[in-house]
Amino acid sequence: MAGQFDDRTNDDGEHFCSVCMRPESTAGKMIRLPMNMYLCSDCMDNLSKMMESQFGKNPFASGQRPGAEQMEEFGKMFRSEMNANDREKEVNVPPVKTEIVDSDEEETEEKEDTTETDDTKEEKKTSKGGPRFSIFNMGEFPFPFGAQQPKVKKTGEHKPLLKLGDIPAPHEIKAKLDEYVVGQEQAKRVMSVAVYNHYKRVATNTMDEIEIEKSNMLMIGPTGCGKTYLVRTLARLLDVPLAITDATTLTEAGYIGDDIESVVSKLLAAADNDVDKAEQGIIFIDEIDKIAKKANMNSRDVSGEAVQQGMLKLLEGAEIEVPVGASSKNAMVPTVTVNTRNILFICGGAFPGLEEIIEERLNKTTNMGFTTEVKSKFNKDRKMLQKVEVEDIRKFGMIPEFVGRLPMVFALEALDEDMMVRVLKEPKNAILKQYQKLLDLDGVKLEFEEDALREIAKKAIEKDTGARALRAIIDAFMIDIMYEIPKDKEIGIVTITGDYIRGKGGPRVELRRD
């Protein structure tokens, strides 16, 4: 009996699993099966689960080694299932094939097949006396070997998503952004022009043999000023695939974390695995300031400068091997080649501490001696980021090669009290409009006094989290109102007053007049 399994060893004399091909040193002790097969415990568990899910019955008793009877029972179940569906499936899975045939059927096949090779005869000779095990489609086998692979579509022709005549003009793009984002006039103008030029470049592919470079962008602005919201609105307007990812999870290849190519993998998923669409999409990499060079580091900077170096060819345009449906490459994950030449990259970050770097540069001309100013004349300037230059970003920790591939650099303004009030009521999906819609469904009209809006804006500025603070503040004051209104069907109008926001009174309630 031992000699029957001697040929199932590798060069080191170890047995290996017939499904996953792992040796005993990696997969652990093997389970012997008929027909010179071995299975590791992982593959055996996966096979048992597959049998239960497909046939409602597990012919392999838990914790027992399957023998000839169990294999025969599995063969009957498998054949009856195929006959019930009136279909035949023939699968070749190296190193073994799967099907169980009776001895009568085997003799018939021997008579019919007159052109047998020596290998075929040897296989039939060995299989007599036991069932022939040649089972399944690896695509139906559970993780990790048979996970359904995503279908990737790619055509040889370059078909632009937007034709030259369909690309909205910069003033049209800005007008659409104005409906959703308050203020940030300079940022919206820069983005509109950059996107317009980029998709003209994609639509024409070339212009009188003059190659137009990409208009990648770097957005700098404090938290809650609308960076992500601008990009989402832009992608919705153009109807192109958009992937929003976070730079904090990226590391150099080979270390724990997402590979750099995972940002393109997310865009491919957003394009429904259509490579042509993905190659013309937009990737927004948020928190880009988190990959700045770490100062005074004695160890390898795998999540800082190394990531910037790895992203250089990504930003400029190159053929990238992208994992499909995963965040990192490995032997079990399929890959597809994506050309990033026509992908627009928009990077954004808060860059905390950049104001001090800008202020230091601007104060270099300060006089020395008795005329020296003790306090900076730029202290607490809310528009300090508008004065940013490339050398400031380099001093922050971004390498010159990385900044050079982001030619459009602009900053967003921090929200002041007036802008906060406008954010509350002007955009299409403003926070106040959302609450007014909710109460309107209960037949109640919600109103806000101007004094109340000012108080909310002041509290939001104190929190120093930008427009995100507005929702948190309004939610805190609206909980009691939203709880009490459904109790009384006579309430018609609720007015939020400034005193209510200051905690000195309550909302003004008016009953229905009809």
Side-chain angles (χ1 to χ4, degrees):
M1 185 67 179
Q4 184 179 358
F5 298 94
D6 288 343
D7 59 340
R8 291 290 177 182
T9 58
N10 58 16
D11 295 338
D12 296 329
E14 294 181 303
H15 295 296
F16 59 88
C17 178
S18 298
V19 176
C20 66
M21 306 304 294
R22 294 184 298 172
E24 286 181 314
S25 60
T26 303
K29 188 176 180 181
M30 299 292 171
I31 301 173
R32 288 184 178 181
L33 296 178
M35 194 54 199
N36 293 354
M37 285 190 63
Y38 282 88
L39 283 183
C40 65
S41 57
D42 292 337
C43 293
M44 196 68 237
D45 291 341
N46 286 334
L47 180 60
S48 299
K49 293 176 183 177
M50 186 184 74
M51 293 301 99
E52 280 191 293
S53 64
Q54 289 190 354
F55 305 113
K57 182 180 178 183
N58 182 8
F60 308 135
S62 177
Q64 296 181 2
R65 179 182 301 170
E69 295 181 0
Q70 286 83 2
M71 302 303 294
E72 181 66 27
E73 183 179 357
F74 163 67
K76 292 179 181 178
M77 291 167 53
F78 189 75
R79 290 197 303 274
S80 64
E81 179 71 14
M82 303 300 257
N83 293 334
N85 295 329
D86 194 25
R87 59 190 177 89
E88 294 181 357
K89 191 178 296 183
E90 184 175 341
V91 183
N92 296 325
V93 181
V96 223
K97 296 197 315 182
T98 63
E99 188 178 6
I100 300 176
V101 280
D102 297 331
S103 58
D104 295 337
E105 295 175 352
E106 189 173 341
E107 292 175 2
T108 305
E109 291 175 2
E110 288 179 351
K111 293 178 181 179
E112 293 177 354
D113 190 357
T114 58
T115 59
E116 295 177 351
T117 63
D118 294 338
D119 294 339
T120 307
K121 292 179 180 179
E122 182 65 24
E123 179 181 353
K124 289 187 175 181
K125 180 181 178 181
T126 311
S127 65
K128 293 211 172 187
R132 211 157 28 107
F133 190 78
S134 81
I135 312 182
F136 25 81
N137 181 0
M138 293 298 286
E140 297 177 353
F141 200 80
F143 178 83
F145 318 109
Q148 293 291 333
Q149 306 297 351
K151 295 181 180 179
V152 179
K153 299 174 285 183
K154 185 169 184 176
T155 61
E157 301 178 1
H158 172 77
K159 296 181 179 179
L161 294 179
L162 297 173
K163 296 181 180 179
L164 190 59
D166 298 335
I167 304 173
H171 69 278
E172 295 175 346
I173 298 176
K174 183 181 178 300
K176 193 69 175 179
L177 294 176
D178 287 338
E179 296 179 5
Y180 294 91
V181 181
V182 170
Q184 314 298 356
E185 296 299 318
Q186 180 63 21
K188 287 187 284 191
R189 289 170 67 92
V190 174
M191 291 187 70
S192 301
V193 172
V195 169
Y196 179 64
N197 289 338
H198 174 75
Y199 280 101
K200 278 199 301 183
R201 169 183 178 270
V202 173
T204 58
N205 199 21
T206 183
M207 190 175 294
D208 297 332
E209 298 182 354
I210 298 176
E211 185 176 354
I212 304 173
E213 296 294 332
K214 285 206 297 182
S215 304
N216 294 332
M217 290 175 267
L218 175 60
M219 304 170 60
I220 301 172
T223 180
C225 66
K227 298 187 294 293
T228 307
Y229 201 58
L230 273 170
V231 178
R232 282 181 177 169
T233 306
L234 195 61
R236 187 165 59 245
L237 167 63
L238 299 173
D239 193 23
V240 295
L242 168 69
I244 298 178
T245 186
D246 197 324
T248 54
T249 61
L250 300 179
T251 59
E252 188 179 359
Y255 290 84
I256 296 175
D258 292 345
D259 289 345
I260 295 168
E261 292 84 359
S262 66
V263 299
V264 184
S265 180
K266 292 180 181 179
L267 180 64
L268 185 62
D272 296 326
N273 290 331
D274 190 325
V275 177
D276 293 328
K277 286 184 178 180
E279 288 181 342
Q280 303 173 55
I282 298 175
I283 295 179
F284 177 57
I285 307 177
D286 204 1
E287 307 292 345
I288 199 69
D289 53 299
K290 303 304 185 293
I291 62 171
K293 288 194 296 184
K294 309 298 187 296
N296 302 322
M297 278 200 66
N298 297 324
S299 59
R300 189 179 182 88
D301 191 5
V302 298
S303 61
E305 183 179 359
V307 176
Q308 295 185 52
Q309 296 283 0
M311 291 183 67
L312 296 181
K313 64 176 182 177
L314 201 70
L315 297 173
E316 190 171 15
E319 298 279 345
I320 304 294
E321 288 291 332
V322 177
V324 182
S327 60
S328 60
K329 297 178 182 177
N330 58 69
M332 299 297 177
V333 176
T335 60
V336 66
T337 302
V338 177
N339 193 329
T340 64
R341 177 177 175 270
N342 291 328
I343 297 177
L344 180 63
F345 286 88
I346 304 177
C347 301
F351 287 84
L354 185 61
E355 294 92 338
E356 287 77 7
I357 296 175
I358 300 173
E359 185 177 345
E360 181 183 351
R361 173 175 56 83
L362 295 176
N363 285 329
K364 281 183 179 180
T365 58
T366 303
N367 297 328
M368 297 181 63
F370 293 106
T371 59
T372 303
E373 297 182 13
V374 177
K375 292 185 178 179
S376 171
K377 59 182 178 181
F378 302 104
N379 192 25
K380 296 184 179 179
D381 185 356
R382 298 185 66 85
K383 295 186 178 182
M384 179 66 71
L385 289 177
Q386 305 294 321
K387 303 177 177 66
V388 66
E389 294 184 3
V390 174
E391 63 178 278
D392 303 321
I393 302 173
R394 290 176 55 183
K395 193 170 183 179
F396 183 85
M398 312 304 290
I399 62 176
E401 303 93 323
F402 184 84
V403 180
R405 286 166 171 80
L406 300 169
M408 310 292 287
V409 180
F410 58 93
L412 281 72
E413 305 173 20
L415 301 182
D416 55 20
E417 185 177 317
D418 291 334
M419 293 177 67
M420 288 283 193
V421 173
R422 292 179 60 193
V423 169
L424 281 170
K425 59 183 182 181
E426 288 186 12
K428 268 193 173 182
N429 57 342
I431 305 171
L432 300 189
K433 294 178 182 178
Q434 295 178 33
Y435 270 106
Q436 287 170 343
K437 179 66 175 178
L438 286 172
L439 288 182
D440 185 58
L441 296 175
D442 291 329
V444 178
K445 185 178 181 181
L446 178 64
E447 297 179 350
F448 284 81
E449 291 183 350
E450 186 69 20
D451 187 29
L453 298 180
R454 292 283 171 183
E455 270 314 305
I456 294 173
K458 290 178 183 177
K459 290 181 177 291
I461 292 175
E462 291 174 1
K463 288 183 177 292
D464 199 25
T465 56
R468 293 186 179 92
L470 295 173
R471 182 61 184 259
I473 293 171
I474 294 180
D475 284 347
F477 287 103
M478 290 297 297
I479 287 177
D480 292 337
I481 296 174
M482 300 293 290
Y483 182 82
E484 296 294 338
I485 280 179
K487 293 182 181 179
D488 192 347
K489 301 299 182 182
E490 299 299 321
I491 297 177
I493 301 175
V494 176
T495 303
I496 306 299
T497 63
D499 288 338
Y500 177 55
I501 302 299
R502 285 186 287 267
K504 297 180 181 179
R508 189 167 59 249
V509 178
E510 299 179 28
L511 301 179
R512 301 179 188 273
R513 296 180 181 179
D514 46 32

